[in-house]
Amino acid sequence: ERLQRPVDVGQIHWPASTYAPWQERALWDGLVKMYKEGYVSAVGVSNYGPKQLRKIHAYLSEQGVPLAANQIQYSLLSRKVGDEVKEVCDELGICMIAYSPLGLGILGGKYKVGDKVVVPQGFRGFILKERIKEATPVLQVLEEVAAQRGKTVAQVSINWCICKGAVPIPGARTIRQAQENLGAMGWRLSADEIAALDAAADKIPRELTQNIFQTS
């Protein structure tokens, strides 16, 4: 009532199937109700893997409700699940939204190859420092492409997601960061640049851990 119009997209933030599977159908029915009663213009999900995505797509289709989007963690440091999900999204006509496209900040330009890494104290800082070190091959190519393009590392990282057909939703704590994120739009990496970034990502020994609610 306050908006005086339907919400654009109503999403399930994470699937219940990983912790309370008996609640999953109730959530799906909630999406159907919101859509049919006009509260939302479209419905979506988050952290659904290929198998679960097919299940909910089929269920909603039977109810006459199109599934508009699936939001998952996707970046140069987290590609495997995303690439699998993207194939299903393309097949079923679902938009893939990429959250954490800057790899928990590792791809945001704050950490540069060769610099002394300053991280938070404690276990979190230790883990982050290890992951930054492992990401060196990607950071090197990102810096090279950014310099050649006259862009920032963050902008190249976000644009890579766009070139992969995803809709990235990077976070921003300041107006400057929001403006920088906008600079990732209106241009495209070349096929050679994408290939170079993909090849660098292949050298990373392990990807970032997926959300604990991510399904198969």
Side-chain angles (χ1 to χ4, degrees):
E1 292 179 356
R2 292 196 301 269
L3 289 174
Q4 296 183 343
R5 67 176 181 82
V7 172
D8 292 328
V9 182
Q11 286 186 253
I12 295 176
H13 193 58
W14 56 62
S17 59
T18 56
Y19 64 93
W22 59 89
Q23 294 181 351
E24 188 81 346
R25 186 58 60 86
L27 292 174
W28 294 4
D29 288 337
L31 291 179
V32 172
K33 182 177 180 180
M34 286 194 304
Y35 182 80
K36 289 192 172 182
E37 295 187 5
Y39 293 113
V40 298
S41 298
V43 300
V45 293
S46 184
N47 297 304
Y48 272 59
K51 293 180 181 178
Q52 197 71 356
L53 189 59
R54 289 186 184 279
K55 290 179 181 179
I56 187 172
H57 178 270
Y59 183 79
L60 294 179
S61 293
E62 291 175 356
Q63 311 297 318
V65 179
L67 181 59
N70 182 26
Q71 178 178 312
I72 67 165
Q73 179 176 305
Y74 188 59
S75 73
L76 275 161
L77 302 182
S78 185
R79 300 179 301 159
K80 185 177 184 299
V81 173
D83 288 343
E84 294 172 352
V85 169
K86 186 61 170 60
E87 289 184 11
V88 178
C89 285
D90 289 347
E91 176 189 336
L92 301 178
I94 301 168
C95 172
M96 191 175 87
I97 300 172
Y99 70 79
S100 198
L102 298 179
L104 304 180
I106 296 174
L107 306 177
K110 181 178 180 180
Y111 308 108
K112 297 184 181 298
V113 176
D115 286 354
K116 182 178 180 181
V117 178
V118 179
V119 297
Q121 295 294 317
F123 182 72
R124 178 176 177 273
F126 172 77
I127 295 297
L128 183 60
K129 189 172 184 178
E130 287 298 303
R131 290 305 180 94
I132 293 169
K133 183 178 179 181
E134 292 174 358
T136 296
V138 169
L139 293 176
Q140 288 177 328
V141 178
L142 281 172
E143 290 178 10
E144 292 170 3
V145 173
Q148 293 168 357
R149 284 274 185 172
K151 300 291 183 179
T152 67
V153 166
Q155 289 168 346
V156 174
S157 300
I158 296 169
N159 192 270
W160 175 88
C161 288
I162 295 173
C163 290
K164 291 294 182 175
V167 177
I169 49 171
R173 293 183 179 181
T174 65
I175 292 176
R176 184 192 65 78
Q177 288 177 338
Q179 291 172 333
E180 180 181 4
N181 291 342
L182 288 173
M185 302 173 64
W187 58 282
R188 291 267 178 166
L189 291 165
S190 69
D192 287 344
E193 289 168 332
I194 294 170
L197 288 166
D198 287 341
D202 288 338
K203 297 177 183 178
I204 298 175
R206 54 179 174 164
E207 293 196 340
L208 292 178
T209 303
Q210 283 288 330
N211 187 296
I212 60 172
F213 298 111
Q214 178 68 46
T215 69
S216 60

